[in-house]
Amino acid sequence: MTRLFNTPAAFADEALDGFVAAHRRWVRRVPGGVVRATPTAPGQVAVVIGGGSGHYPAFSGLVGRGLAHGAAVGNVFASPSAQQVHQVAKAAHGGGGVLLTFGNYAGDVLHFGQAEERLNAEGIDCRTVVVTDDISSAPAEESAKRRGVAGDLAVFKTAAAAAEAGLPLDEVVRLAALANARTRSFGIAFSGCTLPGADAPLFTVPEGRMAVGLGIHGEPGLSEAAVPTADEAAELLVSTLLGELPEGVDTPCGLRAGVILNGLGAVKYEELFVVYRRVARLLDEAGVVAVDPEVGELVTSFDMAGVSLTLFWLTEELEPLWTAPADAPAYRKGALGPTAGVSSESPETPETPENSEEQPEQTAVPQASEESRAAARTVLDALAAVVRTVDEHADELGRIDAVAGDGDHGIGMRRGSEAAYEAGRRAQGLGAGAGTLLCHAADAWADRAGGTSGALWGVILRQVGTALGDADRPDAAAVASGVAAAADGVMRLGKAEVGDKTMVDVLVPLAGALGEAVAEGQPLAAAWDAAATVAEAAAKATAELLPRLGRARPHAEKSLGTPDAGAVSLALIARAVHGVLAAKNESEG
């Protein structure tokens, strides 16, 4: 378990600060993550990686010459926000364009995708390659749905070496995609991991059993088996991976492969070497040539006791990229010459608005009517109620999320709601109307929380804020219109529909019930009460659904009987907002 921390919500930020303080020769801090301590060479493609915290050395430990130019670092097991990715990419950009590459998780796809759109709109040529190496997370015919695990390293290393060689963006993208298509991973675990502040692991394995086909976010395995000997574990890993060869290949004999035996956090290096002893023999017997094998912790999951094996099937153009030199805090290979004009002992770290750690605080807001500023006070009260509600239920939300997911929902909701309230409080102090206050809160929630839910809550608050505006006193019809727009926006961005076992299963009926009650002429407090009641029933009903999207999808049966965490948190928030509206109605009555 994670024993040394201050507060769970601050763990990721404090860990990153300490990492940078310990590795200034390689990296420097920028808003959203880290970039190389030495500037990207002019005209060179910048490879920007990223994902949630809790996987060290991924992702910050893989930033350095010959590897990534920057890493966007999110909260524990949560994707970085689009703003974070954008800031890191801008700081890393050297004029040759940007490649974003990351594991295939819903939040990462969403946030990196938004950042890509923004960078391209600003004139920075930006592309994406998503890593999909975990064969246990989807069948071969649906490989695009697979998640990224330790195979991240093969793709990152290929892309970065290609960029270091001066290849143009089109070629870097092509080679990274080729590396992904030829990478396969499979893992086992003997115990789950425990998040900072949690009193139990995300999943448990019965004594004498192991989980087979686990994920790196604490997702439970797809099946269980008896704990093997080291040799038996090696045989399971190798035989499983040799059962799915690259397209067009019938036999592994004569193939060359980069090999990664990855420890997930609590398996000792000596244990890994015992396993690799057998892995090497099995590959040799199959006629596979292991090229520059890596044995150690490369993509972890806090204190999970487990291992994964990755086979990166090399080609003549991929092999020199896999074996090329690299120098990062947690990954070094070969020897690189000195960087022209910059001492490796004391790298230059220029401070500019683009790479300084503090972002400028907004000091002006659009003009608003007195009626809208008065409504903004109610909106801020509602945000304060959201903070209290989330804080009260954060542990339970994490527990629900851990049944078939990664258990980070409570932490993410706490970070997001607190950031939204603080942004709203600052906006109110500047005289913001209700619409502007909510839009500021939306940006802060999405940026601070990261993850899928962070982005979606950003959409919810922004859509409601847009509907309320700053000119008039918001009425019930405007609120209902905003919630309806929020439902449409969340479905459009998150690609979820009713029945997928997500927050959409609550948001759509909430919007519908609110719109119907308002159309009947009910005042806002009464209409919201009716809608919140519908939301509570809808959240409870998600327990009978099977997830069709997100990290819980491969573990659909495990979630049966447990409601969706995002649906539950939305229903709780709907009821908390009703409390504020009812109190305001009573005070005015």
Side-chain angles (χ1 to χ4, degrees), residues 360-409:
E361 191 167 306
Q362 195 158 359
T363 57
V365 295
Q367 190 172 6
S369 69
E370 181 56 40
E371 292 83 358
S372 185
R373 288 198 295 271
R377 290 192 286 272
T378 302
V379 171
L380 190 62
D381 288 343
L383 289 173
V386 170
V387 171
R388 292 192 297 271
T389 298
V390 168
D391 189 62
E392 179 183 351
H393 295 91
D395 290 344
E396 177 62 9
L397 292 173
R399 186 197 67 78
I400 294 172
D401 190 36
V403 171
D406 53 19
D408 70 335
H409 188 68

Side-chain angles (χ1 to χ4, degrees), residues 267-349:
V267 175
K268 299 299 183 182
Y269 272 67
E270 286 86 349
E271 295 175 89
L272 292 174
F273 291 135
V274 172
V275 174
Y276 188 73
R277 158 189 160 276
R278 183 61 176 157
V279 167
R281 290 178 181 174
L282 290 168
L283 292 176
D284 185 60
E285 290 170 4
V288 177
V289 178
V291 178
D292 273 11
E294 299 288 346
V295 179
E297 293 183 347
L298 293 157
V299 181
T300 63
S301 184
F302 272 113
D303 60 336
M304 184 184 291
V307 298
S308 66
L309 181 65
T310 299
L311 295 181
F312 172 27
W313 299 105
L314 299 170
T315 65
E316 287 186 0
E317 60 181 344
L318 289 176
E319 184 167 337
L321 301 175
W322 172 245
T323 60
D327 184 25
Y331 186 91
R332 298 166 205 172
K333 177 180 286 189
L336 286 160
T339 302
V342 180
S343 165
S344 63
E345 294 302 317
S346 55
E348 296 176 4
T349 55

Side-chain angles (χ1 to χ4, degrees), residues 512-535:
L514 182 62
E516 290 176 9
V518 169
E520 292 170 358
Q522 293 188 37
L524 180 58
W528 196 281
D529 183 20
T533 300
V534 168

Side-chain angles (χ1 to χ4, degrees), residues 55-299:
H55 305 301
Y56 190 83
F59 296 89
S60 54
L62 303 180
V63 173
R65 294 175 61 209
L67 251 172
H69 295 74
V73 183
N75 188 29
V76 174
F77 289 177
S79 67
S81 69
Q83 174 73 358
Q84 288 178 284
V85 178
H86 174 265
Q87 289 172 311
V88 171
K90 288 271 284 186
H93 184 231
V98 175
L99 170 64
L100 304 177
T101 179
F102 49 90
N104 187 30
Y105 298 91
D108 294 294
V109 171
L110 192 158
H111 285 287
F112 277 86
Q114 289 179 322
E116 179 186 7
E117 291 179 2
R118 184 173 169 186
L119 289 162
N120 281 314
E122 294 172 354
I124 297 175
D125 194 357
C126 183
R127 317 284 180 81
T128 289
V129 172
V130 180
V131 184
T132 56
D133 61 302
D134 181 12
I135 69 171
S136 69
S137 54
E141 60 270 20
E142 296 182 335
S143 60
K145 294 182 179 179
R146 287 176 170 175
R147 57 198 175 195
V149 288
D152 282 352
L153 178 64
V155 178
F156 298 169
K157 180 69 172 59
T158 298
E164 205 78 41
L167 297 181
L169 182 58
D170 285 346
E171 274 297 280
V172 174
V173 170
R174 182 186 69 82
L175 290 164
L178 178 62
N180 179 62
R182 297 181 67 87
T183 302
R184 308 284 189 275
S185 298
F186 184 70
I188 58 177
F190 315 106
S191 70
C193 60
T194 305
L195 300 185
D199 57 5
L202 295 180
F203 71 90
T204 57
V205 182
E207 188 71 27
R209 307 284 289 175
M210 71 173 177
V212 179
L214 67 143
I216 60 166
H217 294 93
E219 304 98 329
L222 300 180
S223 62
E224 287 183 6
V227 171
T229 64
D231 282 359
E232 289 168 344
E235 289 157 11
L236 172 64
L237 295 170
V238 171
S239 64
T240 302
L241 291 181
L242 292 185
E244 187 182 312
L245 297 172
E247 187 175 351
V249 176
D250 297 323
T251 175
C253 186
L255 295 183
R256 299 170 68 82
V259 183
I260 303 168
L261 184 63
N262 177 59
L264 283 156
V267 175
K268 299 299 183 182
Y269 272 67
E270 286 86 349
E271 295 175 89
L272 292 174
F273 291 135
V274 172
V275 174
Y276 188 73
R277 158 189 160 276
R278 183 61 176 157
V279 167
R281 290 178 181 174
L282 290 168
L283 292 176
D284 185 60
E285 290 170 4
V288 177
V289 178
V291 178
D292 273 11
E294 299 288 346
V295 179
E297 293 183 347
L298 293 157
V299 181

